[in-house]
């Protein structure tokens, strides 16, 4: 029996979506790796948290060269995670609790172990199977130079050579060859894969690297332009980011989803400049797109206010609803990010230090305030597993346990993303703090015993209970309409926004206590003593009823 809410507003317009990085969520079979059995056993926890949907990172068959973003079979579940039958059981159990399920789709590249790439690699030069990928002769004498000067997002060149001398393109790791989306079979195959999962009743897709896929057919050199994923495509007419041809593909996918009714959705992971994002959100394209501006914003009221106002207006201008993200499996957890001093770059700091640039307590305090800012906004809020526990980045993982290709490919300049992917602590004791029956695939710090979900569940002042309470209040105060008014920010560092319901959220991102507007009562505050003598203390936030 489904108990999904059937209000006329499509559910995805104002959902709390919880991101599940399966490998690190919960381990049901004790092999140290999270799996579907573990996820199923924790659905009640997610229900108690009050989330509307889960987004599951890629769970398809994969050699896990890039945490599953290297898919070898899009219609099978990675055996380490479970089976299709277990995936089906999970989807129906989640639906019974009223929790929707979004799966990740990875169209820009496959795994090198995908049957298409195997066929291409094993076929002679010029064979049609090669044209499903970008496989080209090299430059220079004997073609020993790559076809272009493009570099991979993970470091090193974006081309690798096949034994027969031709080169294949991989914008990410060499194990992730880029598909050629000009080839009609590629689109046909992905439409069929979307249908496969829609038939299994998933509610939506998170589309990976949604601004990739189309490449400039001229394959020009790029020079020293910055094309880092997080800095988006700053270059107009970039040879592999944000090309206009993408939109035709998206429209074809959208038609497939629409066949299944308006409750199925797609959200784009598109790292594009602000003025380009609405293009992805036109009525016949994506339902939503992640807005990463907040995640990239420093702890600064002016920046937050600007991002909130702009993202809300941009989404409204194309009839979409905004989305908000403070962290995910690709970036440093905010409890640590917000504790770093202004002159530390979170990308390189875990390698370069020094340690004294981190004020861990301040980071957590700000992360609590940020949760209130996030959950009161219109549209959908995406929470990354462990964010609700206030987990810090495990920035000091020893080199020998690191698994992310970024570490090796950047020649140790960047530690990579393992620090935000450490398995969750569920209980205060046990070999992996309740993650599983044995030790976990990445080591958890000892201090995580006190951050365990079971410990926080019974502590009124915990981050977990802050999230639970705020999500509960959100349903009453923040989802009825999508209107928002963002207050002007002055030098005090006070961020204020008001919602149509009479909710006003105030955050103090400055250094001195700030005045609160007149209100009937305080609905929730990020710390028990956030409000003192009618003023809000620094690094705290509060929800007020001004109705
Ligand atoms: C974005 C994903 O979030 C990231 O984890 C992955 O490495 C790249 N896309 C490549 O698929």
């Amino acid at each position: 029996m489904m108990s999904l809410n059937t209000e006329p507003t499509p559910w995805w317009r104002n959902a709390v979506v919880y991101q599940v990085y399966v490998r690190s969520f919960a381990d049901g079979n004790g092999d140290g790796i999270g799996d579907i059995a573990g996820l199923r056993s924790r659905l009640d926890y997610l229900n108690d948290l009050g989330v509307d949907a889960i987004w599951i990172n890629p769970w398809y068959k994969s050699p896990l060269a890039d945490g599953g973003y290297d898919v070898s079979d899009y219609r099978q579940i990675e055996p380490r995670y479970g089976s299709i039958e277990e995936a089906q059981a999970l989807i129906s159990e989640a639906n019974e609790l009223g929790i929707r399920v979004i799966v990740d789709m990875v169209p820009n590249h496959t795994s090198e172990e995908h049957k298409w790439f195997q066929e291409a690699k094993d076929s002679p030069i010029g064979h049609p199977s090669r044209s499903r990928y970008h496989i080209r002769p090299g430059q220079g004498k004997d073609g020993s130079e790559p076809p272009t000067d493009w570099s991979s997002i993970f470091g090193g060149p974006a081309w690798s050579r096949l034994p027969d001398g031709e080169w294949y393109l991989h914008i990410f790791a060499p194990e992730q060859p880029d598909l050629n989306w000009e080839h009609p079979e590629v689109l046909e195959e992905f439409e069929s894969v979307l249908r496969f999962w829609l038939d299994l009743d998933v509610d939506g897709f998170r589309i990976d690297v949604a601004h990739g896929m189309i490449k400039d057919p001229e394959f020009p050199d790029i020079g020293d332009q910055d094309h880092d994923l997080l800095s988006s495509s700053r270059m107009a007419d970039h040879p592999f980011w944000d090309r206009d041809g993408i939109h035709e593909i998206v429209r074809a996918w959208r038609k497939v989803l629409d066949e299944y009714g308006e409750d199925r959705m797609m959200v784009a992971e598109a790292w594009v400049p602000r003025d380009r994002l609405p293009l992805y959100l036109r009525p016949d394209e994506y339902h939503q797109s992640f807005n990463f501006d907040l995640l990239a914003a420093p702890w600064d009221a002016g920046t937050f206010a600007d991002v909130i106002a702009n993202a809300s207006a941009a989404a409204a201008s194309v009839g979409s609803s905004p989305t908000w993200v403070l962290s995910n499996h690709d970036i440093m957890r905010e409890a640590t990010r917000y504790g770093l001093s202004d002159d530390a770059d979170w990308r390189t700091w875990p390698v370069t230090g020094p340690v004294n640039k981190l004020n861990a307590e301040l980071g957590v305090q700000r992360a609590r305030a940020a949760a209130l800012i996030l959950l009161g906004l219109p549209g959908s809020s995406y929470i990354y597993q462990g964010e609700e526990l206030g987990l810090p980045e495990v920035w000091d993982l020893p080199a020998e346990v690191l698994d992310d290709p970024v570490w090796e490919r950047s020649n140790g300049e960047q530690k990579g993303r393992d620090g935000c992917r450490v398995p969750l602590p569920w209980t205060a004791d046990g070999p992996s703090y309740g993650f599983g029956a044995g030790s976990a695939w990445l080591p958890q710090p000892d201090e995580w015993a006190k951050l365990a979900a079971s410990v926080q569940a019974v502590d009124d002042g915990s981050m977990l209970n802050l999230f639970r309470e705020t999500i509960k209040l959100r349903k009453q105060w923040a989802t009825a309409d999508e209107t928002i008014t963002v207050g002007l920010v002055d030098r005090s560092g006070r961020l204020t926004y008001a919602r149509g319901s009479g909710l006003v959220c105030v955050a103090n991102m400055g250094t001195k206590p700030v005045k609160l507007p007149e209100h009937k009562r305080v609905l929730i505050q990020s710390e028990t003593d956030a409000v003192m003598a009618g003023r809000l203390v620094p690094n705290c936030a509060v929800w007020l009823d001004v109705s």
Side-chain angles (χ1 to χ4, degrees):
M1 222 244 333
M2 303 261 289
S3 57
L4 297 175
N5 105 32
T6 47
E7 286 165 18
T9 310
W11 65 273
W12 49 264
R13 286 197 77 95
N14 56 26
V16 173
V17 185
Y18 184 96
Q19 180 190 348
V20 176
Y21 194 76
V22 195
R23 198 181 186 186
S24 303
F25 185 72
D27 170 14
N29 66 2
D31 66 356
I33 299 172
D35 48 33
I36 298 178
L39 173 53
R40 286 170 69 190
S41 74
R42 298 289 178 187
L43 281 175
D44 284 341
Y45 167 84
L46 297 175
N47 195 33
D48 290 346
L49 183 57
V51 306
D52 302 298
I54 51 176
W55 146 34
I56 304 172
N57 282 107
W59 55 356
Y60 315 108
K61 190 150 191 266
S62 164
L64 303 186
D66 178 22
Y69 284 95
D70 47 320
V71 180
S72 55
D73 188 336
Y74 292 84
R75 293 182 185 80
Q76 275 192 52
I77 294 290
E78 164 54 32
R80 282 168 279 190
Y81 296 156
S83 62
I84 281 285
E85 290 70 34
E86 285 178 275
Q88 275 177 292
L90 165 80
I91 294 166
S92 72
E93 286 161 12
N95 285 349
E96 268 170 35
L97 293 171
I99 299 175
R100 310 268 182 171
V101 177
I102 298 173
V103 292
D104 219 308
M105 194 44 66
V106 190
N108 181 68
H109 42 264
T110 66
S111 157
E112 59 175 350
E113 290 187 15
H114 190 280
K115 65 173 191 237
W116 275 358
F117 192 70
Q118 292 293 315
E119 190 189 351
K121 201 176 69 164
D122 295 342
S123 301
I125 292 178
H127 190 272
S129 66
R130 292 204 162 199
S131 53
R132 295 191 191 110
Y133 293 89
H134 296 287
I135 302 184
R136 306 172 68 82
Q139 304 190 82
K141 195 163 159 271
D142 311 328
S144 60
E145 302 288 321
T148 69
D149 66 352
W150 304 355
S151 40
S152 146
I153 300 307
F154 295 154
W159 298 90
S160 289
R161 211 164 184 196
L162 293 172
D164 58 34
E166 286 211 315
W167 297 77
Y168 69 92
L169 176 69
H170 53 86
I171 299 297
F172 293 88
E175 294 88 349
Q176 295 166 294
D178 278 52
L179 282 164
N180 173 13
W181 273 86
E182 310 286 351
H183 194 303
E185 273 178 42
V186 175
L187 178 61
E188 263 168 45
E189 168 65 0
F190 271 84
E191 288 183 342
S192 150
V193 168
L194 292 179
R195 286 204 170 85
F196 176 87
W197 288 100
L198 289 165
D199 288 338
L200 290 185
D201 253 357
V202 301
D203 297 281
F205 301 95
R206 175 264 189 196
I207 307 285
D208 187 57
V209 202
H211 58 313
M213 293 180 285
I214 296 289
K215 276 78 189 179
D216 185 335
E218 303 293 326
F219 285 84
D221 276 348
I222 194 173
D224 56 5
Q225 285 280 346
D226 179 7
H227 60 277
D228 177 79
L229 188 67
L230 296 187
S231 41
S232 316
S233 52
R234 292 205 189 106
M235 181 180 171
D237 196 22
H238 192 286
F240 56 80
W241 287 151
D242 190 29
R243 299 194 63 80
D244 289 338
I246 287 171
H247 298 284
E248 205 180 311
I249 302 170
V250 180
R251 284 195 281 270
W253 292 342
R254 176 66 185 251
K255 279 198 187 120
V256 174
L257 263 80
D258 285 349
E259 287 168 21
Y260 289 78
E262 71 159 12
D263 265 2
R264 313 290 181 117
M265 59 83 81
M266 338 180 252
V267 53
E269 187 220 17
W271 295 87
V272 297
R274 208 180 243 191
D275 57 318
R276 298 278 300 175
L277 205 53
L279 296 177
Y280 289 74
L281 297 171
R282 288 175 286 193
D284 55 351
E285 298 203 22
Y286 285 101
H287 300 78
Q288 278 186 331
S289 175
F290 290 131
N291 186 301
F292 293 118
D293 289 350
L294 208 53
L295 159 154
W299 186 255
D300 172 69
T303 315
F304 267 57
D306 172 65
V307 167
I308 292 169
N310 267 287
S312 306
S317 73
V318 277
S320 179
S321 69
T323 61
W324 312 101
V325 186
L326 291 175
S327 69
N328 62 32
H329 63 294
D330 289 333
I331 78 148
M332 176 178 272
R333 285 191 177 275
E334 75 263 37
T336 303
R337 224 168 60 222
Y338 291 147
L340 285 178
S341 56
D342 293 346
D343 59 343
D345 177 349
W346 62 264
R347 278 169 246 216
T348 47
W349 173 82
V351 175
T352 59
V355 172
N356 67 8
K357 286 195 191 278
L358 173 66
N359 180 340
E361 224 171 277
L362 176 68
V364 174
Q365 197 188 4
R366 288 177 171 175
R368 293 177 66 99
L372 262 58
I373 300 175
L374 178 85
L375 291 166
L377 292 169
S380 296
S381 294
Y382 285 76
I383 301 171
Y384 174 47
Q385 68 180 39
E387 190 172 343
E388 82 283 11
L389 300 175
L391 295 186
E393 179 83 1
V394 188
W395 55 271
D396 53 356
L397 284 170
E400 62 275 14
V401 304
L402 297 179
D403 181 71
D404 185 4
V406 169
W407 166 247
E408 235 179 76
R409 289 188 61 86
S410 72
N411 290 321
E413 267 174 38
Q414 289 186 33
K415 204 138 187 201
R417 301 162 294 178
D418 294 307
C420 65
R421 299 175 177 180
V422 173
L424 297 191
W426 291 96
T427 53
D429 40 35
S432 50
Y433 303 117
F435 168 69
S439 53
W441 71 279
L442 281 174
Q444 301 145 303
D446 293 345
E447 309 80 70
W448 281 25
K450 54 181 190 299
L451 295 177
S454 65
V455 175
Q456 297 204 32
V458 293
D459 171 3
D460 285 348
S462 70
M463 183 74 116
L464 178 59
N465 277 320
L466 183 72
F467 266 86
R468 283 181 175 167
E469 285 306 305
T470 313
I471 291 174
K472 217 180 280 162
L473 284 167
R474 171 190 162 88
K475 296 197 182 351
Q476 192 187 339
W477 288 91
T479 57
D481 65 49
E482 289 171 14
T483 57
I484 181 164
T485 312
V486 184
L488 286 177
V489 175
D490 59 22
R491 278 190 310 180
S492 69
R494 185 176 73 161
L495 171 77
T496 312
Y497 66 78
R499 300 294 315 276
S501 60
L503 165 71
V504 167
C505 174
V506 184
N508 185 349
M509 303 174 90
T511 51
K512 297 199 180 100
V514 294
K515 261 186 74 193
L516 288 174
E518 287 217 357
H519 54 275
K520 284 191 187 151
R521 66 197 159 116
V522 171
L523 294 168
I524 192 158
Q525 46 187 338
S526 62
E527 306 282 343
T528 35
D529 49 5
V531 181
M532 287 178 37
R535 287 172 179 259
L536 180 64
V537 305
N539 304 307
C540 288
V542 71
W543 280 19
L544 305 173
D545 169 7
V546 303
S547 60

